[in-house]
Amino acid sequence: MDSVGKSWLLLTGFVLFYVIYLLFGALVFSSIERPVEDKLRHDMEVLKQDFLNQSCVNAASLERFLVQVLTANKYGVSVLRNSSFTSNWDLASSMFFANTLVTTVGYGHTTPLSDTGKAFSIFYALIGVPFTMLVLTASVQRLMHPLVIVPIGLLQRSGMAPRWATVVHLVLLLVLVVLCFFLAPAAVFSVLEGSWSFLDGIYFCFISLCTIGLGDFVPGTQSGQKNRQLYQLAVMAYLFLGLMMMYLLLRTFHKMSDLHGLTGFLQLPRCEESDPEEDREPILEDNQMGKAASEPLEPASQPSYNTINKG
Amino acid sequence: MDSVGKSWLLLTGFVLFYVIYLLFGALVFSSIERPVEDKLRHDMEVLKQDFLNQSCVNAASLERFLVQVLTANKYGVSVLRNSSFTSNWDLASSMFFANTLVTTVGYGHTTPLSDTGKAFSIFYALIGVPFTMLVLTASVQRLMHPLVIVPIGLLQRSGMAPRWATVVHLVLLLVLVVLCFFLAPAAVFSVLEGSWSFLDGIYFCFISLCTIGLGDFVPGTQSGQKNRQLYQLAVMAYLFLGLMMMYLLLRTFHKMSDLHGLTGFLQLPRCEESDPEEDREPILEDNQMGKAASEPLEPASQPSYNTINKG
């Protein structure tokens, strides 16, 4: 098998293992946390009934009641009547939680209740976070050819100067990402989530794809959501593709910075240039510029750059 | 000024600007969110009093009350008596929030209440996240020399084979990071935060330094915390240093993978090798191994590697 075929096989293997790892995480989290959640949910029901059966409610008893309500809520268990039917630890929700762990988004709308769950979260993320980074890196590498190298080549063939071609390409890619991964999903979320405005949608997309994940807006957590499990799977796919595109943008920007001497100016490591597929078709077709892409624009100002690579 | 002096000046400028940017964020968030929080807090007080003044509490009125309590709680405003004295949007807390945005940790224990706050969060992170990555990258680059290149050189001078020296060094660095950035802080947190166990401390450190930031454990949020503002500043410094060390570990691991042919095996981009300071003193002192570090171990299997660099 040739190296391109092997590289695609490796990527397919990675993605397959990624999905299996998420399923494994979902099964473990669900089996650890579900019983604890059920107990807490039952305790809260009893607590609420006891509170309602009191002959008189005073400030102290209300305070005690609210402390317990808010503690349970911190773990994602609500005392409200209409939210008691959906579990935070069914298979789809557990998979969603596992996904927010390994992508480091970490909304925290549900968090492990038990010590076993916390310990497993550490173990799970310890393997999952680097592996997810690996899968994203490998995926982005395959996307570099169709989404970066080919379009820049086309721009150059249309007569654009190599430097301008990279800038125009970055702007076009940025517009595409903003349209497909921010504006369009925000519109969809503002329709599907009754209480979200369009700004809320944009805010969710941005906070998620930067992996900040504040968790004040999480899709599929409202009560009575139709096809909730399918919806959660779709959001997970959106997150993965979105993170991939963010990483692609970052890498394209880094490559452009190299070319325009910005990396050298800030004295930062240059973008790596060792992808076999990319090497076959350099980012810039012009031979001289191809060389410029791998060397700082003012080599005289950094005489010791790249001595290892050339050693 | 020589290039080393200039590079340190640039780093100092970066760190200074980082602190100023956090202060700027704190001031804006505080001025946007404080009035909204005060109003919500006041509304909750009135709501609680009204609820207590009812002659009889029934299921429906409790439900309505709890919906509002939980909504306010989502925004970090608690109805509990003893938590009503500390604001989530004083200067230190706002700075802490700004810090969790730009480092992408995003605990979400407090989130912007107003649309203006949400829009500003997007704008703030849009500049802050890449800039923080830049500051972290630049800091790690300066740490590579004393924490990676010098120790590996010492290990080699003591007669260790170059390949083993990198492995032993990585293990030692890992032990140091686990001790100083996980075990020691976890012990401190379990003392300072009354309700945290040691496992909770470890869990917090791990979830934070992976930038997952679930937010179920956030230091300095318990009521009656002494020197809360100073404590929050210390946690911010811990987060920054911790993230720096995680990034250093990652880079060291990546460099070692390059050397041991793992990067080539997984067909991933190699670790960048263009730091002027590092170039002056290669990671491996042995000349042949120095060359190996910049080329995959089995060049025959990847014939097109590095053609751009050599072009």
Side-chain angles (χ1 to χ4, degrees):
Chain A
M1 195 184 285
D2 64 343
S3 79
V4 176
K6 238 167 51 185
S7 117
W8 275 102
L9 196 72
L10 196 73
L11 181 64
T12 314
F14 276 172
V15 173
L16 210 72
F17 187 78
Y18 179 71
V19 175
I20 292 172
Y21 192 69
L22 285 183
L23 268 172
F24 160 73
L27 282 170
V28 176
F29 278 121
S30 186
S31 63
I32 294 176
E33 295 298 330
R34 192 86 191 245
V36 192
E37 185 197 28
D38 285 345
K39 192 183 170 302
L40 184 60
R41 209 178 281 277
H42 175 255
D43 288 353
M44 292 313 292
E45 275 303 308
V46 172
L47 185 82
K48 197 171 160 187
Q49 273 314 315
D50 285 354
F51 182 77
L52 279 171
N53 291 340
Q54 281 176 35
S55 54
C56 87
V57 172
N58 59 30
S61 69
L62 179 66
E63 199 76 12
R64 276 196 304 276
F65 174 67
L66 287 177
V67 166
Q68 288 179 281
V69 166
L70 293 179
T71 309
N73 189 65
K74 196 174 112 176
Y75 293 113
V77 172
S78 174
V79 285
L80 301 180
R81 199 176 303 157
N82 55 5
S83 50
S84 60
F85 296 102
T86 53
S87 167
N88 295 314
W89 299 103
D90 57 22
L91 203 66
S93 302
S94 298
M95 198 165 167
F96 192 80
F97 174 74
N99 189 49
T100 66
L101 272 190
V102 296
T103 53
T104 79
V105 174
Y107 294 119
H109 63 300
T110 42
T111 54
L113 294 104
S114 64
D115 280 353
T116 321
K118 286 175 204 161
F120 182 71
S121 298
I122 296 179
F123 164 79
Y124 188 74
L126 201 62
I127 298 171
V129 172
F131 180 69
T132 307
M133 280 166 64
L134 189 74
V135 179
L136 283 172
T137 311
S139 310
V140 165
Q141 240 176 316
R142 302 312 174 278
L143 285 180
M144 284 301 279
H145 192 259
L147 291 182
V148 179
I149 294 159
V150 171
I152 289 182
L154 284 175
L155 285 172
Q156 280 184 262
R157 249 171 254 148
S158 73
M160 204 173 274
R163 271 174 176 245
W164 274 106
T166 58
V167 177
V168 169
H169 167 259
L170 185 69
V171 172
L172 288 177
L173 193 67
L174 200 68
V175 170
L176 188 84
V177 169
V178 169
L179 267 175
C180 300
F181 290 88
F182 290 87
L183 298 181
V188 173
F189 285 127
S190 64
V191 171
L192 292 179
E193 301 282 330
S195 60
W196 292 23
S197 67
F198 183 67
L199 174 69
D200 292 340
I202 295 272
Y203 172 75
F204 165 75
C205 294
F206 185 83
I207 293 293
S208 297
L209 296 190
C210 287
T211 77
I212 297 171
L214 291 174
D216 43 355
F217 292 89
V218 181
T221 50
Q222 288 180 331
S223 58
Q225 189 89 49
K226 280 178 201 160
N227 302 317
R228 201 167 63 93
Q229 308 210 331
L230 194 73
Y231 184 30
Q232 282 179 320
L233 284 178
V235 174
M236 281 165 62
Y238 159 72
L239 279 181
F240 185 83
L241 292 176
L243 287 176
M244 213 162 74
M245 291 310 284
M246 292 299 275
Y247 188 41
L248 183 82
L249 260 184
L250 201 71
R251 237 188 119 186
T252 312
F253 177 76
H254 200 171
K255 268 181 190 288
M256 199 200 68
S257 307
D258 280 353
L259 187 68
H260 288 251
L262 198 65
T263 322
F265 173 71
L266 294 173
Q267 300 180 312
L268 293 173
R270 284 186 310 100
C271 193
E272 58 293 307
E273 292 281 0
S274 53
D275 183 8
E277 278 182 62
E278 286 172 55
D279 288 351
R280 224 162 283 139
E281 191 166 353
I283 189 165
L284 293 176
E285 297 198 335
D286 182 306
N287 260 345
Q288 210 186 336
M289 287 312 291
K291 197 176 174 190
S294 69
E295 278 176 29
L297 284 178
E298 288 136 1
S301 66
Q302 285 124 10
S304 59
Y305 251 52
N306 271 346
T307 48
I308 288 189
N309 275 359
K310 286 164 188 166
Chain B
M1 196 185 287
D2 64 343
S3 79
V4 176
K6 236 166 54 185
S7 115
W8 275 103
L9 196 73
L10 196 72
L11 181 64
T12 314
F14 276 172
V15 173
L16 209 73
F17 187 78
Y18 180 72
V19 174
I20 291 172
Y21 192 68
L22 285 183
L23 266 172
F24 159 73
L27 282 170
V28 176
F29 278 120
S30 185
S31 63
I32 294 176
E33 294 299 329
R34 192 88 192 243
V36 192
E37 185 197 30
D38 285 345
K39 190 181 172 305
L40 184 61
R41 208 177 279 278
H42 175 256
D43 289 353
M44 292 313 292
E45 274 305 306
V46 172
L47 185 82
K48 196 171 162 187
Q49 272 315 314
D50 285 353
F51 183 77
L52 279 171
N53 291 341
Q54 281 175 38
S55 53
C56 87
V57 172
N58 58 31
S61 69
L62 180 65
E63 200 74 13
R64 276 196 305 276
F65 174 66
L66 287 178
V67 167
Q68 287 179 281
V69 166
L70 293 179
T71 308
N73 189 65
K74 195 174 113 177
Y75 294 112
V77 172
S78 175
V79 285
L80 300 181
R81 200 176 302 155
N82 55 6
S83 50
S84 59
F85 296 102
T86 53
S87 167
N88 294 314
W89 298 103
D90 58 22
L91 204 65
S93 302
S94 299
M95 199 165 166
F96 192 80
F97 174 74
N99 189 49
T100 66
L101 273 190
V102 295
T103 54
T104 78
V105 173
Y107 293 119
H109 63 300
T110 41
T111 54
L113 294 105
S114 64
D115 280 354
T116 322
K118 285 176 205 160
F120 182 70
S121 297
I122 297 179
F123 164 79
Y124 189 74
L126 200 61
I127 298 171
V129 172
F131 180 68
T132 307
M133 280 166 65
L134 188 75
V135 178
L136 283 172
T137 312
S139 309
V140 165
Q141 239 177 315
R142 303 310 173 279
L143 285 180
M144 284 300 277
H145 191 261
L147 291 183
V148 179
I149 294 160
V150 171
I152 290 183
L154 284 175
L155 284 173
Q156 281 185 260
R157 249 169 255 148
S158 73
M160 204 172 274
R163 269 173 178 244
W164 274 106
T166 57
V167 176
V168 170
H169 166 260
L170 184 68
V171 172
L172 288 177
L173 193 66
L174 201 67
V175 170
L176 188 85
V177 169
V178 169
L179 266 177
C180 300
F181 289 89
F182 289 87
L183 298 182
V188 172
F189 285 128
S190 64
V191 171
L192 291 180
E193 302 281 330
S195 60
W196 292 23
S197 67
F198 183 67
L199 174 69
D200 292 339
I202 295 270
Y203 173 75
F204 164 75
C205 294
F206 185 83
I207 294 292
S208 298
L209 296 190
C210 286
T211 76
I212 299 172
L214 291 174
D216 44 354
F217 292 89
V218 182
T221 50
Q222 288 181 329
S223 58
Q225 190 87 51
K226 280 176 200 159
N227 301 319
R228 200 167 64 92
Q229 308 210 331
L230 195 71
Y231 184 32
Q232 283 179 319
L233 284 178
V235 174
M236 281 165 61
Y238 160 73
L239 279 181
F240 186 83
L241 292 175
L243 287 176
M244 214 162 72
M245 291 309 285
M246 293 298 276
Y247 188 42
L248 183 81
L249 260 184
L250 201 71
R251 238 190 118 184
T252 313
F253 177 75
H254 200 171
K255 268 182 190 288
M256 200 202 66
S257 308
D258 280 354
L259 186 66
H260 289 251
L262 198 64
T263 322
F265 173 73
L266 294 173
Q267 299 181 310
L268 292 174
R270 283 184 310 102
C271 191
E272 59 293 307
E273 292 280 1
S274 53
D275 183 7
E277 275 181 66
E278 285 171 59
D279 288 353
R280 227 161 281 141
E281 191 166 353
I283 188 166
L284 291 176
E285 297 197 336
D286 181 305
N287 259 344
Q288 211 186 337
M289 289 309 293
K291 197 176 174 190
S294 70
E295 277 175 30
L297 284 179
E298 288 136 0
S301 67
Q302 284 125 10
S304 59
Y305 251 54
N306 271 346
T307 48
I308 287 188
N309 275 359
K310 286 163 187 166

